[in-house]
Amino acid sequence: MGSFLHRHRSLTPYLLLAPGMLWLAIFFLVPMVFLGYQSLQSGLFPHFQFTWEFSNFSSALSGYHTQLVRSFVYAGIATLACLVLAYPLAYWIAFRAGPWRNLFLLFIVAPFFVTYLVRTLAWLNILADQGPVVRVLRDVHVLGPDGRLLATTFAVVAGITYNFFPFMALPLYVSLEQIDPRLLEASKDLYASSTQSFLRVTVPHSMPGIVAGTLLTFIPAAGDFINAALLGTPNQAMIGNVIQAKFLESLDYPTAASLSFILMGTIMVMLLI
Amino acid sequence: MAVESRERPDRGQTPGQTPNETVDVRLDHVTKSFDDVVAVDDVSLEIPHGSFFALLGPSGCGKTTTLRMIGGFEEPTDGAIYLGEEPVTGRPPYKRDVNTVFQSYALFPHLSILENIAFGLRRRGVRGKEVRGRVLDILRLVGLEGLERRKPRQLSGGQQQRVALARALVNKPRVLLLDEPLGALDLKLRKQMQLELKAIQHDVGITFIHVTHDQEEAMTMADRIAVMNQGHVEQLGPPDELYERPASAFVAGFLGVSNLLSGVVEDPDGVRLADGTLVQAQVDGKRGPVAAGVRPEKITLGESGGQNRLPGTIAETAYIGVATQFVVDTPAGTVHVFAQNIDSGKRIPVPGSNVTLSWSPESTFVVERGEEMSE
Ligand SMILES: Nc1ncnc2c1ncn2[C@@H]1O[C@H](COP(=O)(O)OP(=O)(O)OP(=O)(O)O)[C@@H](O)[C@H]1O
Ligand SMILES: [Mg+2]
């Protein structure tokens, strides 16, 4: 084997790539092709036929554009909220927490020790009408006597923000932690105040973390359905809820598949911009 | 010359004028402790305007800490620092008229060379064409024309070093701090940059405080040197004074080679060595056990060198072109001698031959016996 590799050195990179490529081919490409095939079928469950049914896409789009737009709005707000909440936290852990860093990182990932569904169910209790949050807000008249949090847009966005928070915080932490403190000293030496140093040195250097965190939060958030299902009403339904209902309840596989493609395509276009 | 004269009339100095008229930096009994280490121990210094000042000392003696306190990156535990007349204790770095060339250069990797150098100017509100003009001028001064669009990682180590220098100099600070700025360069480039830095300092007339552990570098560049040891200043003065009249065994040993012969002060201008020889020297009121010192190049093989004499046997010789080094065993200890090879026909004494060493009382110095010395 060794001498074989030695003789065909140019093959080595391909051999190293092979397992990963195989994995991608089996678990990504094949399902994608299958999904694409399904999105162009017509007929009723279980008798679908492949008929190049492109109208699936246009009817899905016209029927569910509200949910599609809503998904991106919710995901956008949640991503922004994650960024605003996670940046100071990651900054503090990276620069100020000293020996306690790892403990605080553990706190950030701690929710992962509980299943996604159970975590969201916990929010159901926290935001419940009889729950402590609503009671306090009613007492201080932020909410009216019948005001509620559950089944509102706020609840869904808050749930998404909470659930995807670590995906924002961890990349931010990594990029902030790598900043050479000597660069900040150089910046202060060159007459930049703390605020200016932050804007001119810290923020540009944490850009990779901001981009990674935004992608890791926004993409799964746009396709999420659990938060809307548990914390919202049909008025907060997102595209994920529609796809889930089409697949599992009305068994309309072609529409579900074409909606999935629309979601994927839209995200891809947004990424390119 | 690209850099115009200093803009601040209040300092009343122009480049080329002799230093010593005003003091740019003053350290008044400054102490800095970190938890259990005392890094800087009761240091008082005055650095005259326009001087090239070197802080010289072995690793860990507190040079960087001293520099960081002047720059505002550390606060003294005790004592006060003045820039000109103003006390600056507690003032953040960005409010001090001081710039630093960091040992690691600390260039901003995300900014072009132009923007790196313009950073300080922009923070101080310089705008528009003036920024570009001043950056290009300073790039010409450090010999990097045409590289303003590159990123720092596209430059060699020596070029990055020049950018770091330009980035600090372009602000025309009152004082420029340099922490081992040449440490990362190879020997040849380092020698070249030493001369260039000195020339630049002369041109711009800004006070330079240069930290180094290399005595040759300090001697080459500085017009005043403070030799530091274990947090305090051992001696402060111009290079020749430190070399000719070291105040302690540490300074004598740190700057160049010196012969230190143990003895006891016997009369107002003589030291009795261990073997009984009396050496004449300026004792300057020192008493008891001391060491009489003399530099190797001040000793002559033979009796023509002066009144101080020692008999000895040559143990080793090494011919190194411009000079021959001798190691001579004498009753008072081992002595190193450098003899310049001026007469080409002259016979060099071989190991084993008996010689007399002689030198003058004026080139003899007396120091307290340090812990570094044997006996
Ligand atoms: N932040 C710090 N915390 C604790 N101790 C420190 C700190 N900075 C420096 N010291 C200690 O203070 C002493 C002086 O350090 P300093 O960096 O000033 O030395 P230096 O003369 O610059 O040495 P070198 O030539 O090796 O750079 C050392 O013993 C060092 O360990
Ligand atoms: Mg140092």
Side-chain angles (χ1 to χ4, degrees), chain B residues 11 15 36 38 48 134 143 202 260 282 313 324 341 343 362 368:
Chain B
R11 256 172 257 155
D36 49 345
V38 183
R134 283 177 69 172
H202 188 81
L260 293 178
Q282 279 183 7
T313 312
T324 305
N341 297 325
D343 306 327
E362 292 76 54
E368 310 274 349

Side-chain angles (χ1 to χ4, degrees), chain A residues 152-226:
Chain A
T152 61
T153 304
F154 172 81
V156 178
V157 174
I160 298 176
T161 305
Y162 161 76
N163 275 311
F164 292 101
F165 185 80
F167 295 108
M168 181 63 88
L170 291 180
L172 280 180
Y173 167 79
V174 171
S175 66
L176 285 169
E177 197 259 344
Q178 285 173 348
I179 294 179
D180 184 348
R182 288 175 295 193
L183 291 180
L184 295 169
E185 286 196 344
S187 151
K188 294 218 175 120
D189 185 66
L190 295 163
Y191 313 107
S193 64
S194 301
T195 321
Q196 285 175 322
S197 298
F198 175 76
L199 292 176
R200 305 269 166 194
V201 180
T202 311
V203 170
H205 278 93
S206 60
M207 223 46 202
I210 296 177
V211 171
T214 302
L215 294 182
L216 285 176
T217 310
F218 184 80
I219 296 173
D224 184 73
F225 64 95
I226 292 198

Side-chain angles (χ1 to χ4, degrees), chain B residues 133-198:
Chain B
R134 283 177 69 172
V135 171
L136 295 184
D137 281 351
I138 207 83
L139 274 174
R140 202 170 316 128
L141 179 74
V142 299
L144 290 180
E145 299 102 318
L147 295 188
E148 67 271 11
R149 270 189 241 177
R150 299 241 191 121
K151 288 280 176 69
R153 64 169 173 279
Q154 296 170 310
L155 299 185
S156 72
Q159 289 170 328
Q160 291 182 20
Q161 204 280 325
R162 287 159 196 259
V163 174
L165 180 65
R167 186 177 70 173
L169 269 181
V170 74
N171 304 296
K172 297 189 187 140
R174 179 192 276 273
V175 179
L176 189 73
L177 308 176
L178 305 105
D179 190 359
E180 310 236 4
L182 311 178
L185 307 181
D186 66 52
L187 187 68
K188 196 164 167 234
L189 194 54
R190 196 154 73 222
K191 297 269 178 223
Q192 181 194 336
M193 280 306 293
Q194 286 173 6
L195 298 176
E196 251 178 73
L197 260 183
K198 193 165 168 62

Side-chain angles (χ1 to χ4, degrees), chain B residues 49-375:
Chain B
H49 171 69
S51 61
F52 199 126
F53 192 94
L55 277 174
L56 174 67
S59 185
C61 71
K63 307 178 295 286
T64 297
T65 308
T66 307
L67 207 67
R68 287 172 61 82
M69 285 192 288
I70 300 173
F73 300 109
E74 307 278 359
E75 283 301 327
T77 319
D78 221 335
I81 295 176
Y82 299 82
L83 289 177
E85 300 297 307
E86 289 170 86
V88 292
T89 318
R91 207 193 279 183
Y94 56 88
K95 289 191 183 154
R96 297 188 185 200
D97 191 10
V98 163
N99 287 111
T100 308
V101 177
F102 295 87
Q103 173 163 16
S104 59
Y105 310 147
L107 301 178
F108 303 118
H110 62 298
L111 298 180
S112 67
I113 300 309
L114 182 91
E115 284 307 318
N116 261 283
I117 299 175
F119 196 93
L121 295 176
R122 292 199 196 282
R123 298 293 84 72
R124 297 219 284 190
V126 182
R127 289 280 172 267
K129 275 208 171 121
E130 193 189 343
V131 174
R132 200 181 158 78
R134 283 177 69 172
V135 171
L136 295 184
D137 281 351
I138 207 83
L139 274 174
R140 202 170 316 128
L141 179 74
V142 299
L144 290 180
E145 299 102 318
L147 295 188
E148 67 271 11
R149 270 189 241 177
R150 299 241 191 121
K151 288 280 176 69
R153 64 169 173 279
Q154 296 170 310
L155 299 185
S156 72
Q159 289 170 328
Q160 291 182 20
Q161 204 280 325
R162 287 159 196 259
V163 174
L165 180 65
R167 186 177 70 173
L169 269 181
V170 74
N171 304 296
K172 297 189 187 140
R174 179 192 276 273
V175 179
L176 189 73
L177 308 176
L178 305 105
D179 190 359
E180 310 236 4
L182 311 178
L185 307 181
D186 66 52
L187 187 68
K188 196 164 167 234
L189 194 54
R190 196 154 73 222
K191 297 269 178 223
Q192 181 194 336
M193 280 306 293
Q194 286 173 6
L195 298 176
E196 251 178 73
L197 260 183
K198 193 165 168 62
I200 288 174
Q201 192 269 339
H202 188 81
D203 281 347
V204 296
I206 294 174
T207 307
F208 277 33
I209 305 181
H210 182 108
V211 159
T212 178
H213 61 260
D214 179 347
Q215 53 102 5
E216 223 178 293
E217 183 170 302
M219 305 263 273
T220 311
M221 302 170 81
D223 34 54
R224 304 189 115 239
I225 301 176
V227 182
M228 286 186 75
N229 183 25
Q230 297 182 347
H232 62 268
V233 173
E234 288 261 338
Q235 193 177 358
L236 197 163
D240 53 341
E241 187 183 308
L242 297 188
Y243 187 79
E244 304 282 342
R245 302 251 134 235
S248 67
F250 176 82
V251 176
F254 198 74
L255 273 88
V257 183
S258 61
N259 296 297
L260 293 178
L261 304 168
S262 303
V264 178
V265 175
E266 188 157 296
D267 57 58
D269 44 24
V271 174
R272 178 76 65 189
L273 299 186
D275 70 322
T277 315
L278 185 70
V279 175
Q280 290 184 27
Q282 279 183 7
V283 177
D284 291 334
K286 294 191 183 68
R287 289 157 182 236
V290 293
V294 59
R295 298 289 182 183
E297 73 279 4
K298 306 267 157 79
I299 303 177
T300 309
L301 294 181
E303 302 197 337
S304 59
Q307 287 143 289
N308 289 333
R309 298 205 176 143
L310 262 183
T313 312
I314 296 197
E316 282 173 49
T317 66
Y319 179 81
I320 53 163
V322 289
T324 305
Q325 301 182 2
F326 298 93
V327 181
V328 183
D329 287 330
T330 75
T334 305
V335 173
H336 292 259
V337 180
F338 292 169
Q340 279 205 306
N341 297 325
I342 296 173
D343 306 327
S344 27
K346 210 168 119 187
R347 260 192 58 239
I348 295 170
V350 292
S353 31
N354 290 325
V355 290
T356 302
L357 307 178
S358 61
W359 68 95
S360 69
E362 292 76 54
S363 44
T364 315
F365 54 85
V366 178
V367 295
E368 310 274 349
R369 230 185 274 175
E371 296 128 34
E372 299 87 352
M373 288 185 60
S374 49
E375 282 189 300

